[in-house]
Amino acid sequence: TKVIININANLDFSFYPHLQYITFRCGYNQITDLTKNSNLVMVDFGSDYNQPLYLPANLKVLALGEAFNQPMYELPSQLEKLIINVNIYEHQIIMPNTVTEAYLYGNFMNYITVSSNLCKIYAKVKYNHDMIGYMNIFSNKFPEECSVNISYY
């Protein structure tokens, strides 16, 4: 089941255990607990979401938009694809080793630890003079087989 949310309202998703895909639009910015949605495969929080993440462990695809600037203490253990398109992100990102694709766009102000199984990364990141050697934003090396495309603006 695929759902597109076009309302900024507090919704209880525990009543919909068979949801597989959720896309939030129209200024959605409510604390959303999706931990009980064990069939959820993909969540796209849209451009206005800036709340803590409560996600099921088996989530495969996570997309975060422009307003998001919350710590991600623990990403889902089965996450395969991470898409972050932010204006500014001030927190460290530690990708679980299940992530094989990452798309990172924006001004990242802290370190990013990439997955040891990463196959593809596309990043368009803002050059930040406060970082010592901007490539150091990635706190570990890319896997040898990883396709890396990084540009700065």
Side-chain angles (χ1 to χ4, degrees), residues 33-46:
D33 185 352
L34 299 171
T35 56
K36 294 182 176 124
N37 297 84
S38 60
N39 291 315
L40 203 56
V41 174
M42 188 278 298
V43 175
D44 178 349
F45 278 105

Side-chain angles (χ1 to χ4, degrees), residues 96-101 114-120 143 146:
N97 281 331
T98 53
V99 173
T100 58
E101 290 183 62
V114 299
S115 161
S116 60
N117 292 311
L118 196 64
C119 296
K120 181 179 184 180
C146 184

Side-chain angles (χ1 to χ4, degrees), residues 7-11 27-33 45 48-52:
I7 185 171
N8 186 25
N10 192 2
L11 305 170
Y28 188 82
N29 190 29
Q30 301 292 321
I31 293 176
T32 304
D33 185 352
F45 278 105
D48 296 307
Y49 190 78
N50 188 24
Q51 299 292 335

Side-chain angles (χ1 to χ4, degrees), residues 43-112:
V43 175
D44 178 349
F45 278 105
S47 61
D48 296 307
Y49 190 78
N50 188 24
Q51 299 292 335
L53 297 175
Y54 300 100
L55 303 168
N58 59 320
L59 187 71
K60 303 287 185 207
V61 180
L62 174 62
L64 301 164
E66 295 171 9
F68 189 77
N69 190 20
Q70 297 287 324
M72 291 185 275
Y73 296 112
E74 190 172 325
L75 289 169
S77 60
Q78 300 301 311
L79 193 65
E80 296 174 1
K81 186 175 185 179
L82 179 61
I83 304 162
I84 302 175
N85 183 7
V86 293
N87 288 326
I88 187 168
Y89 191 76
E90 300 172 321
H91 312 280
Q92 184 176 14
I93 299 171
I94 300 175
M95 293 181 200
N97 281 331
T98 53
V99 173
T100 58
E101 290 183 62
Y103 300 86
L104 309 172
Y105 310 91
N107 187 358
F108 294 89
M109 304 296 291
N110 211 319
Y111 292 105
I112 300 170

